[in-house]
């Protein structure tokens, strides 16, 4: 009987397979039915809405407090919100800061408070106490003058440290130009506005903004409604409702025609390019899902058009992307972005505009649309594995005025988007005829070509701004007086170093020391006509060795060695020597580009072009000393710029050498101090 059953099943299977036409691609089935349970809810008399999602998989519970407050303009006291956030969560009127932190650590919990809400997470057995401490810190903050001064000074120090960061300036001015200074999204902090804030301002800001009227408390985890209700009523019930402060939101408009807004950052080594426009879009709009698909196809990732064009095809950048937000109260922004090397800034602008235009005029392919849909469907389905997703969906339905079945019909709405829909919404939301092309970079390097950019047969007008968005005159190169040449500048520097007075010098070895990520860092540099070598050690361990000689160029990390491409090796050889200037002064490739400001002082700029590596050397006009060196490396089509500043020149072993050198490594500024100098060291 068993054999007969197996034969029957086998025959049935063969019969079924025989009926399949393998010449035809199987059709997609209907979208899976999404079953989303709803959290249990209740509301306190003070207006606080509470949502509870029970999940017993792990013995932990989290509570998220969200304040659905409108944006507010802070004006001459911009910084109130950030300072208030930094002071919240540091204990309460009942518990001092150190005792508060100690108890949180003891429970292995996580508690944080800000002006937008709060968060608490702990093991189930500690959750009642964690929720109590969160509520106490949120509702009864302990604002002290001592903590206020400390946080204010830290904020000001941070603003000063970021003063020369190109991306910080770019994002600041982009927002200002899009929204204007009278809009909360257009204003920004400065040391001056932060200094205007007093402790009383922080207390007043908290009182007018931190209220339960439009607050939502989402509790997820190993807990039930029966346990939650008395806890929330006990710890949040006395939180008093009161009108929440807001400010009028002005209308936001785009320029009448597309224009280039250039933000001058003389220290920039590459350009931040953003094509942006403002628009109005909410999650409940019928266009919302088509816009998601359009943005995904244009610039949603490594498979999107901007990335494939500007990185994979042109090699202008590490990546190019687009984004569009949504906002129920005011305008949002569409942005297409790329960070590109200076010499292709104008070309990158044209390519980004062309890609935006193409998605507005031509239907996207079915393949592109299917990939975009699959990306969102997959992300949505994966998100359902997280129990907090249920609460998040309910929160968005409440705060975004969505219909109750919004997320149950999510996949149907994604799959209903057509190529025609994508084209239609791209025309509506992705502007190229009334857009701002905001370019933040080094004016003297990029403006000559940027001012020649044409789009659809018209030259784009160019406006000029400083790093705070104030209009300025066109940045100009300072003229070099007659008689100053590449050779005279380099020879002057060579004389200033004193190297011509040191007999028989053929090798110079320098050791610089400093700190990196709270660890000691040492850089040992060796210079000669035959070889340049650099050994970087962190925490006493050798991390990286790089060697350039006439024969080869390579980098080594432990036993692993990577030979550099010939085009890079050929260009690196141009600076072989005890000093690179000794070789460059006789080179016919070096050119004098003009005078630029480096750290507030005029400096001659000498450039050496290259296919694999191009160099820029900067020499102080008054002292003749080298104050900066920048090189741009083209490695496998990707560009990387390395900049080193030199300062504090002192006499050492008969030579005038930089006592300090500084550079940026992984987003962190590193400063090294000269430790030892050896001339012709024994091998």
């Amino acid at each position: 009987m068993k054999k007969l059953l197996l034969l029957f099943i086998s025959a049935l299977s063969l019969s079924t397979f025989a009926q399949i036409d393998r010449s035809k691609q199987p059709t997609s089935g209907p979208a899976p039915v999404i079953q989303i349970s709803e959290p249990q809810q209740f509301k306190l008399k003070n207006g606080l809405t509470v949502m509870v999602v029970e999940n017993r998989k792990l013995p932990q519970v989290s509570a998220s407090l969200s304040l659905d407050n409108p944006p507010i303009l802070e004006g001459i006291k911009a910084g109130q919100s950030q300072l208030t956030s930094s002071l919240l969560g540091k204990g309460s009127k009942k518990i001092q800061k150190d005792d508060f932190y100690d108890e949180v650590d003891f429970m292995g919990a996580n508690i944080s408070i800000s002006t937008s809400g709060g968060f608490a997470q702990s093991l189930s057995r500690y959750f009642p106490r964690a929720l109590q401490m969160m509520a106490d810190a949120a509702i009864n903050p302990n604002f002290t003058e001592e903590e206020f001064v400390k946080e204010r000074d830290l904020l000001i120090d941070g603003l000063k440290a970021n003063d020369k960061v190109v991306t910080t300036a770019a994002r600041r001015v982009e927002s200002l130009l899009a929204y204007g200074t009278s809009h909360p999204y257009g204003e920004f902090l400065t040391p001056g506005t932060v200094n205007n804030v007093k402790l009383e301002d922080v207390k007043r800001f908290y009182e007018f903004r931190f209220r339960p009227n439009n607050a939502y408390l989402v509790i997820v985890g190993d807990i039930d409604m029966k346990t939650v209700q008395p806890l929330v009523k006990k710890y949040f019930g006395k939180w008093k409702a009161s009108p929440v402060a807001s400010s009028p939101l002005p209308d936001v408009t785009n320029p009448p025609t597309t224009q280039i807004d250039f933000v001058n950052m003389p220290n920039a080594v590459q350009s931040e390019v953003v094509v942006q426009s403002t628009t109005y879009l909410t999650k409940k709009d019928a266009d919302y899902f088509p816009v998601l698909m359009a943005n995904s196809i244009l610039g949603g990732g490594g498979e999107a058009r901007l990335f494939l064009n500007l990185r994979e095809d042109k090699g202008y950048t590490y990546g190019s992307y687009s984004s569009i937000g949504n906002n129920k109260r005011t305008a949002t922004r569409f942005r297409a972005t790329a960070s590109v090397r200076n010499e292709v800034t104008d070309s990158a602008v044209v390519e980004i505009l062309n890609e935006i235009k193409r998605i507005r005029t031509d239907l996207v392919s079915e393949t592109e649309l299917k990939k975009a849909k699959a990306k969102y469907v997959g992300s949505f389905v994966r998100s359902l594995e997280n129990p907090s997703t249920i609460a998040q969906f309910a929160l968005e339905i409440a705060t975004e005025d969505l219909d109750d079945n919004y997320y149950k019909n999510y996949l149907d709405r994604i799959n209903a988007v057509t190529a025609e829909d994508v084209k239609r919404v791209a025309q509506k939301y992705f502007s190229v005829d009334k857009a701002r092309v905001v370019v933040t970079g080094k004016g003297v390097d990029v403006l000559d070509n940027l001012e020649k950019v044409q789009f659809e047969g018209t030259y784009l007008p160019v406006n000029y701004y400083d790093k705070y968005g104030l209009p300025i005159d066109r940045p100009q190169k300072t003229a070099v007086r007659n008689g100053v040449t590449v050779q005279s500048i380099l020879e002057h520097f060579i004389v200033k170093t004193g190297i011509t007075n040191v007999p028989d010098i053929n090798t110079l070895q320098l050791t610089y020391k400093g700190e990196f990520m709270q660890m000691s860092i040492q850089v040992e540099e060796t210079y000669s006509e035959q070889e340049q070598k650099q050994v970087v050690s962190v925490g006493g361990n050798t991390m990286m060795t790089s060697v350039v000689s006439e024969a080869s160029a390579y980098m080594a990390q432990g036993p692993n060695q990577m030979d550099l491409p010939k085009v890079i090796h050929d260009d690196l050889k141009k600076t072989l020597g005890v000093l690179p200037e000794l070789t460059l002064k006789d080179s016919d490739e070096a050119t004098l580009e003009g005078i630029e400001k480096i750290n507030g002082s005029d400096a001659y700029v000498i450039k050496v072009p290259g296919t694999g590596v191009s160099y820029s050397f900067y020499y102080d006009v008054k002292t003749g000393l080298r104050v900066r060196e920048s090189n741009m490396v083209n490695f496998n089509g990707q560009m990387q710029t390395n900049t080193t500043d030199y300062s504090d020149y002192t006499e050492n072993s008969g030579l005038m050498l930089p006592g300090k050198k500084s550079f940026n490594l992984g987003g962190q500024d590193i400063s090294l101090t000269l430790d030892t100098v050896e001339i012709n060291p024994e091998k």
Side-chain angles (χ1 to χ4, degrees):
M1 178 62 73
K2 187 174 182 181
K3 287 185 178 180
L4 289 175
L5 180 60
L6 291 173
L7 286 171
F8 175 77
I9 294 173
S10 299
L12 181 62
S13 300
L14 289 171
S15 173
T16 303
F17 288 136
Q19 296 175 18
I20 297 175
D21 185 354
R22 297 184 182 278
S23 66
K24 295 181 180 179
Q25 183 174 351
T27 58
S28 300
V33 177
I34 299 300
Q35 300 292 342
I36 301 177
S37 59
E38 296 182 3
Q40 300 178 72
Q41 297 189 35
F42 66 95
K43 198 167 187 174
L44 298 186
K45 292 180 180 179
N46 58 16
L48 176 66
T49 299
V50 184
M51 301 178 181
V52 181
V53 177
E54 185 176 345
N55 184 275
R56 302 288 186 174
K57 289 184 178 180
L58 293 173
Q60 65 181 26
V61 189
S62 67
S64 299
L65 178 68
S66 301
L67 302 181
D68 188 29
N69 288 341
I72 188 170
L73 190 71
E74 298 180 35
I76 62 171
K77 295 188 177 183
Q80 294 174 86
S81 175
Q82 197 160 331
L83 284 171
T84 305
S85 288
S86 65
L87 290 174
L88 286 168
K90 295 180 180 294
S92 71
K93 292 176 181 177
K94 299 177 182 177
I95 310 175
Q96 292 300 310
K97 180 181 72 172
D98 291 342
D99 294 336
F100 186 90
Y101 288 166
D102 287 344
E103 188 169 356
V104 171
D105 289 343
F106 172 78
M107 294 187 295
N110 179 10
I111 298 177
S112 60
I113 317 288
S114 73
T115 52
S116 61
F119 179 77
Q121 184 178 49
S122 72
L123 293 174
S124 307
R125 65 178 181 271
Y126 294 129
F127 182 70
R129 177 56 178 164
L131 185 67
Q132 180 185 11
M133 293 179 69
M134 171 193 176
D136 188 30
I139 301 171
N140 305 298
N142 184 26
F143 294 139
T144 67
E145 184 70 27
E146 180 184 1
E147 288 294 331
F148 169 76
V149 171
K150 184 187 302 182
E151 293 298 334
R152 183 195 62 194
D153 291 347
L154 284 173
L155 181 54
I156 291 174
D157 288 344
L159 291 171
K160 291 179 178 178
N162 286 324
D163 189 56
K164 294 181 180 179
V165 178
V166 177
T167 53
T168 299
R171 303 296 95 83
R172 176 171 57 223
V173 181
E174 288 159 16
S175 297
L176 179 139
L177 293 175
Y179 290 99
T181 55
S182 59
H183 194 289
Y185 295 164
E187 70 176 353
F188 54 85
L189 281 63
T190 68
T193 65
V194 174
N195 262 322
N196 289 336
V197 182
K198 309 303 179 187
L199 179 60
E200 288 305 312
D201 297 313
V202 167
K203 292 179 179 179
R204 192 179 304 112
F205 187 90
Y206 169 83
E207 287 296 327
F208 286 131
R209 296 283 288 178
F210 209 94
R211 290 297 174 185
N213 316 22
N214 52 351
Y216 297 81
L217 181 64
V218 177
I219 298 177
V220 180
D222 183 25
I223 200 166
D224 54 32
M225 175 66 85
K226 183 178 179 181
T227 306
V228 166
Q229 278 186 312
L231 288 174
V232 172
K233 289 178 181 178
K234 180 178 180 181
Y235 300 135
F236 289 91
K238 295 181 181 180
W239 190 8
K240 294 182 180 180
S242 181
V244 174
S246 62
S247 55
L249 297 177
D251 291 335
V252 177
T253 59
N254 291 312
T257 60
T258 294
Q259 63 189 42
I260 296 175
D261 294 326
F262 184 79
V263 183
N264 189 45
M265 289 289 287
N267 64 308
V269 296
Q270 61 181 8
S271 298
E272 297 290 321
V273 178
V274 174
V275 177
Q276 68 174 21
S277 56
T278 56
T279 187
Y280 288 85
L281 179 69
T282 67
K283 279 197 169 185
K284 69 177 182 179
D285 288 341
D287 287 340
Y288 179 71
F289 289 97
V291 168
L292 290 183
M293 298 303 99
N295 181 72
S296 181
I297 293 168
L298 175 64
E303 73 290 345
R305 291 181 173 185
L306 287 172
F307 192 97
L308 293 176
N309 182 339
L310 276 80
R311 171 171 170 154
E312 298 300 324
D313 183 36
K314 303 296 191 307
Y316 291 166
T317 177
Y318 284 115
S320 181
Y321 308 93
S322 66
S323 63
I324 184 168
N326 61 88
N327 196 302
K328 66 181 180 181
R329 292 188 173 99
T330 187
T332 188
R333 276 189 293 168
F334 162 72
R335 303 172 73 246
T337 67
S339 300
V340 302
R341 59 188 193 276
N342 290 346
E343 61 265 31
V344 298
T345 301
D346 55 322
S347 301
V349 168
V350 172
E351 292 301 326
I352 293 175
L353 288 171
N354 282 337
E355 287 296 350
I356 300 172
K357 177 184 176 182
R358 184 161 71 99
I359 201 169
R360 287 164 49 94
T361 56
D362 302 338
L363 290 176
V364 299
S365 70
E366 282 301 314
T367 300
E368 289 176 305
L369 187 54
K370 284 182 179 179
K371 286 182 179 179
K373 290 180 179 180
K375 180 177 180 179
Y376 273 88
V377 168
S379 176
F380 179 79
V381 172
R382 287 192 299 273
S383 73
L384 297 178
E385 299 173 2
N386 189 337
S388 63
T389 298
I390 297 171
Q392 182 62 35
F393 287 169
L395 179 62
E396 291 185 6
I397 287 172
T399 58
E400 300 288 340
D401 192 26
L402 306 177
D403 65 76
D404 291 341
N405 293 322
Y406 186 86
Y407 285 104
K408 292 178 182 178
N409 297 328
Y410 188 94
L411 298 186
D412 288 333
R413 295 181 182 185
I414 287 289
N415 286 321
V417 176
T418 65
E420 289 76 13
D421 291 331
V422 169
K423 178 180 175 180
R424 174 179 57 79
V425 298
Q427 292 173 345
K428 182 177 180 180
Y429 297 96
F430 301 172
S431 179
V432 286
D433 54 351
K434 295 181 179 180
R436 294 183 184 275
V437 182
V438 186
V439 179
T440 305
K442 190 173 181 178
V444 295
D445 280 357
V446 305
L447 278 175
D448 288 345
N449 289 331
L450 195 61
E451 290 166 341
K452 299 173 184 176
V453 168
Q454 295 184 62
F455 183 65
E456 296 186 328
T458 302
Y459 286 100
L460 299 183
V462 183
N463 306 309
Y464 312 101
Y465 299 91
D466 68 8
K467 60 186 175 182
Y468 294 109
L470 296 174
I472 59 172
D473 294 331
R474 184 192 190 279
Q476 302 284 352
K477 292 182 180 179
T478 304
V480 177
R481 69 177 187 271
N482 292 334
V484 177
T485 65
V486 169
Q487 287 71 29
S488 67
I489 294 170
L490 297 181
E491 287 174 356
H492 185 203
F493 173 70
I494 292 168
V495 170
K496 290 283 290 188
T497 63
I499 199 165
T500 54
N501 299 325
V502 179
D504 301 323
I505 181 171
N506 54 55
T507 303
L508 178 63
Q509 189 174 88
L510 310 175
T511 302
Y512 284 87
K513 292 184 177 181
E515 287 192 356
F516 174 63
M517 298 180 67
Q518 298 181 333
M519 294 186 292
S520 63
I521 180 172
Q522 175 178 296
V523 180
E524 185 180 280
E525 304 169 347
T526 304
Y527 301 94
S528 71
E529 292 184 3
Q530 294 76 35
E531 183 181 83
Q532 285 184 3
K533 184 177 181 180
Q534 186 179 75
V535 180
V536 180
S537 301
V538 177
N541 301 310
T542 301
M543 300 299 293
M544 183 71 70
T545 300
S546 59
V547 177
V548 180
S549 66
E550 285 289 345
S552 65
Y554 65 87
M555 300 179 68
Q557 188 171 21
N560 302 314
Q561 178 174 313
M562 179 180 68
D563 292 330
L564 298 177
K566 184 177 184 302
V567 289
I568 293 180
H569 177 216
D570 290 342
D571 289 329
L572 290 174
K573 288 192 298 183
K574 296 175 183 177
T575 60
L576 280 176
V578 177
L579 291 176
E581 286 79 4
L582 292 169
T583 304
L584 293 176
K585 69 182 180 65
D586 299 321
S587 169
D588 57 1
E589 294 184 68
T591 58
L592 178 56
E593 295 294 307
I595 295 175
E596 295 180 16
K597 289 285 186 184
I598 301 296
N599 298 325
S601 300
D602 287 342
Y604 295 118
V605 185
I606 292 177
K607 294 195 174 182
V608 183
T611 304
V613 184
S614 56
Y615 300 88
S616 296
F617 297 92
Y618 302 81
Y619 300 87
D620 189 278
V621 169
K622 291 183 178 179
T623 66
L625 296 171
R626 188 203 313 147
V627 290
R628 175 174 293 176
E629 177 184 348
S630 180
N631 62 68
M632 182 175 291
V633 182
N634 184 343
F635 191 78
N636 292 333
Q638 304 304 321
M639 306 302 298
Q640 179 176 336
T641 301
N642 307 294
T643 299
T644 302
D645 283 355
Y646 304 98
S647 61
D648 294 353
Y649 277 81
T650 55
E651 192 276 332
N652 203 312
S653 299
L655 300 175
M656 186 67 70
L657 299 169
K660 287 188 178 179
K661 58 193 305 184
S662 56
F663 51 91
N664 189 278
L665 182 63
Q668 180 173 337
D669 290 330
I670 307 297
S671 180
L672 302 179
T673 302
L674 183 63
D675 185 60
T676 62
V677 177
E678 290 189 68
I679 297 174
N680 300 334
E682 295 182 5
K683 294 184 179 180

